Amino acid sequence: MKDILEQLEERRETARLGGGQNRIDAQHGRGKLTARERVDLLLDEGSFEEFDMFVSHRCTDFGMENQKPAGDGVVTGWGTINGRLVYFYSQDFTVLGGSVSETHAKKICKIMDMAMQNGAPVIGLNDSGGARIQEGVDSLAGYAEIFQRNIMASGVIPQISVIMGPCAGGAVYSPAMTDFIFMVKDSSYMFVTGPEVVKTVTNEVVTAEELGGAGTHTKKSSVADAAFENDVEALAEVRRLVDLLPANNREGAPVRPFFDEPDRIEASLDTLVPSNANTPYDMKELILKLGDEGDFYEIQQDFAKNIITGFIRIEGRTVGVVANQPMVLAGVLDIDSSRKAARFVRFCDCFEIPILTLVDVPGFLPGTSQEYGGVIKHGAKLLYAYGEATVPMVTLITRKAYGGAYDVMASKHLKSDFNYAWPTAEVAVMGAKGASEIIHRADKDDPEKLAQHTADYEARFANPFVAAERGFIDEVIQPRTTRKRIARAFASLRNKKVETPWKKHGNIPL
């Protein structure tokens, strides 16, 4: 018996070494942690339970029968994050470059199946050279099996991908279908075709970092939600995100202890909006003053900065926030901001996370580049996302809410439950000057008359009371009481139920 136990421990030690000490040292030399070190940082201490440690590939072509490392390049299993169950896989670049084989893919699929059956998030730590060329179509089939599970799990359990090394070719499509993608600066990249192929086909000369690095995907493409300095920071942020999310679509987000008064009065909010309607202010200041302990987890911070998305807690409960940012492009809606916000709204609706919308929007961004780029269809995505959502929704208009953008930003007409406005709010088709120039175009050459018409329009419409008279605004509130009013609104909506017509699924304007 002793010999058997010793043999077991020896096998385990060999498996834990992955590709061997030399390759582990090389991984560290690149500033990267090993697959197992990452798992230890991700999970609560002592909670890691591994599956399929001794699985090896079955390929016998190209001399592969002589290379059969235990685990086949991926560490899989389950554990806890702050006491809550999660499933994970962590690709091991020290073993055959973390390449995906048939058995490697089966290990990942097994974990994803278990995550869905048991209603727990799945976290993928990606560090792979791509498909294992020696296995050919078997490797491609393995990828497709993973893709199918990503699709089946979508809206059922949260899926989080962390790109911690290369992720190229077909491998990028699994993370692309997950709910959140994090990257590590200077050591991770994602692209469908690498720099060499790009040069061959298009004659473009580009580096891997420029083509698919963390900066590219967080600032330009919006593929990634955030980028962090190193593996340690990325994994810490994953733990923080998981803490905000429900385990699955049938459970609410975890309720955490809070040390902040729900009825806290914030006198500084009375002067947040400047007296000059064209002067910007930072909407993040409002978000931080509404959330418990001023904590805000922002999503896609570096992309489409004219809109803000992320999570706060109110009375210890997770709330998704969508807010126009007057500091950037005056907070207008455009193609990028519409896509960013629409995806976030749909995620919140999938997992019963209430949505708070903070509105200061002068309209949609005009111009040929926007029209040619399809701003109509992209703007409709956000409209569709809000109109389809059945979670509790509270909307606050702080200043401008003009034109179609007023409708789109969780207006009463899109089934928002509570619609508040500050006294500084303006709900109108457009700004007073533009409206007067159209209505009174006969006086366009008379500055005095036009100024008077503009003043008359402002007196009539540059306030929230016309909308309140129609019942489109439920209440005009004092800014200082905003946290109290919003907290009470969400508390009253905790048992909200909505019946919708049966359908297989809608056809969102993609």
Side-chain angles (χ1 to χ4, degrees):
M1 183 68 175
K2 185 178 179 182
D3 291 342
I4 294 173
L5 295 177
E6 287 175 355
Q7 184 182 6
L8 172 61
E9 201 53 43
E10 285 174 8
R11 281 177 171 267
R12 283 181 171 172
E13 282 302 317
T14 302
R16 289 187 188 115
L17 275 176
Q21 193 59 50
N22 289 341
R23 290 185 180 174
I24 290 173
D25 292 342
Q27 183 87 338
H28 289 161
R30 289 187 285 265
K32 296 161 62 176
L33 299 176
T34 66
R36 292 179 181 278
E37 289 168 341
R38 290 165 176 165
V39 171
D40 288 341
L41 283 174
L42 175 68
L43 303 177
D44 296 338
E45 187 175 355
S47 71
F48 172 30
E49 294 285 346
E50 186 169 357
F51 281 149
D52 297 330
M53 177 185 272
F54 304 120
V55 164
S56 61
H57 68 78
R58 304 183 185 93
C59 181
T60 57
D61 295 320
F62 306 104
M64 288 297 291
E65 67 273 13
N66 300 317
Q67 299 182 67
K68 303 193 74 170
D72 203 23
V74 63
V75 180
T76 61
W78 61 274
T80 60
I81 291 178
N82 290 326
R84 300 171 67 225
L85 176 67
V86 297
Y87 289 83
F88 69 87
Y89 65 87
S90 179
Q91 292 179 316
D92 189 349
F93 195 77
T94 71
V95 177
L96 301 171
S99 58
V100 175
S101 68
E102 177 193 11
T103 49
H104 179 124
K106 282 184 176 179
K107 286 181 66 173
I108 294 174
C109 290
K110 179 177 177 178
I111 283 299
M112 296 179 75
D113 288 341
M114 294 189 73
M116 281 187 278
Q117 289 166 6
N118 294 291
V122 63
I123 302 166
L125 309 182
N126 295 264
D127 190 359
S128 168
R132 193 169 298 168
I133 297 169
Q134 295 91 331
E135 293 203 15
V137 72
D138 286 337
S139 174
L140 300 180
Y143 269 127
E145 293 286 348
I146 295 171
F147 301 158
Q148 182 61 50
R149 281 159 178 81
N150 287 131
I151 295 163
M152 297 302 292
S154 182
V156 178
I157 54 173
Q159 301 179 81
I160 300 172
S161 297
V162 192
I163 314 302
M164 311 188 85
C167 187
V172 298
Y173 289 110
S174 175
M177 288 188 285
T178 60
D179 299 305
F180 299 99
I181 302 175
F182 293 156
M183 296 185 74
V184 179
K185 295 176 183 176
D186 303 322
S187 63
S188 68
Y189 52 82
M190 300 175 72
F191 38 63
V192 176
T193 53
E196 293 172 5
V197 176
V198 169
K199 184 179 179 182
T200 301
V201 176
T202 70
N203 232 13
E204 291 178 274
V205 178
V206 64
T207 66
E209 184 63 30
E210 291 168 338
L211 184 62
T216 296
H217 287 312
T218 54
K219 297 172 185 176
K220 296 179 182 178
S221 73
S222 81
V223 168
D225 296 290
F228 303 105
E229 294 297 330
N230 51 53
D231 288 7
V232 176
E233 185 183 353
L235 294 167
E237 290 300 314
V238 172
R239 286 180 59 89
R240 188 173 159 222
L241 176 60
V242 168
D243 221 24
L244 287 158
L245 304 180
N248 56 66
N249 61 354
R250 295 179 180 270
E251 293 183 19
V255 181
R256 296 300 187 194
F258 63 98
F259 307 94
D260 199 347
E261 293 300 320
D263 56 356
R264 169 167 45 82
I265 300 298
E266 278 287 350
S268 62
L269 293 181
D270 289 346
T271 55
L272 178 64
V273 175
S275 55
N276 185 333
N278 295 318
T279 302
Y281 62 94
D282 191 353
M283 189 66 87
K284 286 186 186 178
E285 184 178 338
L286 173 58
I287 296 170
L288 293 171
K289 287 178 178 176
L290 293 181
D292 293 347
E293 290 90 38
D295 187 31
F296 176 47
Y297 193 104
E298 190 166 358
I299 300 295
Q300 290 202 333
Q301 180 175 355
D302 296 326
F303 179 74
K305 293 185 177 184
N306 44 321
I307 205 160
I308 302 167
T309 55
F311 300 105
I312 59 174
R313 286 194 179 94
I314 294 180
E315 294 191 87
R317 299 170 186 269
T318 302
V319 172
V321 177
V322 177
N324 304 115
Q325 173 57 292
M327 297 288 286
V328 181
L329 295 173
V332 296
L333 289 175
D334 59 4
I335 290 170
D336 289 343
S337 62
S338 296
R339 289 195 300 114
K340 171 181 170 179
R343 178 158 172 79
F344 183 78
V345 167
R346 284 173 68 83
F347 173 82
C348 291
D349 190 48
C350 283
F351 291 101
E352 288 298 320
I353 296 173
I355 301 168
L356 170 64
T357 305
L358 305 175
V359 183
D360 186 350
V361 61
F364 280 89
L365 183 64
T368 55
S369 64
Q370 288 290 306
E371 296 294 353
Y372 296 167
V375 67
I376 296 170
K377 182 161 279 192
H378 293 293
K381 291 175 183 176
L382 183 55
L383 177 64
Y384 192 104
Y386 270 124
E388 185 183 45
T390 60
V391 294
M393 290 194 288
V394 176
T395 302
L396 169 67
I397 302 172
T398 61
R399 190 166 61 178
K400 296 173 184 174
Y402 289 167
Y406 153 72
D407 287 323
V408 170
M409 290 297 293
S411 62
K412 199 72 178 173
H413 325 288
L414 296 183
K415 303 183 300 182
S416 179
D417 300 290
F418 284 69
N419 287 68
Y420 291 137
W422 283 356
T424 49
E426 304 172 22
V427 184
V429 175
M430 62 174 65
K433 187 173 183 296
S436 299
E437 288 173 351
I438 293 172
I439 297 171
H440 304 284
R441 58 173 59 89
D443 297 327
K444 66 179 179 179
D445 297 324
D446 188 332
E448 287 189 15
K449 282 188 176 181
L450 200 59
Q452 183 58 51
H453 292 318
T454 300
D456 293 343
Y457 189 93
E458 284 178 346
R460 178 73 180 104
F461 292 109
N463 60 68
F465 299 108
V466 174
E469 288 169 10
R470 304 292 193 277
F472 303 152
I473 299 294
D474 295 307
E475 186 70 75
V476 180
I477 65 174
Q478 293 181 338
R480 64 175 59 201
T481 66
T482 302
R483 174 172 158 87
K484 174 184 176 181
R485 302 301 292 266
I486 287 174
R488 286 175 59 82
F490 279 124
S492 74
L493 294 169
R494 283 176 193 156
N495 295 318
K496 177 182 176 181
K497 295 284 187 295
V498 176
E499 293 291 330
T500 57
W502 185 92
K503 55 183 166 180
K504 187 175 181 181
H505 58 73
N507 187 18
I508 185 170
L510 295 173

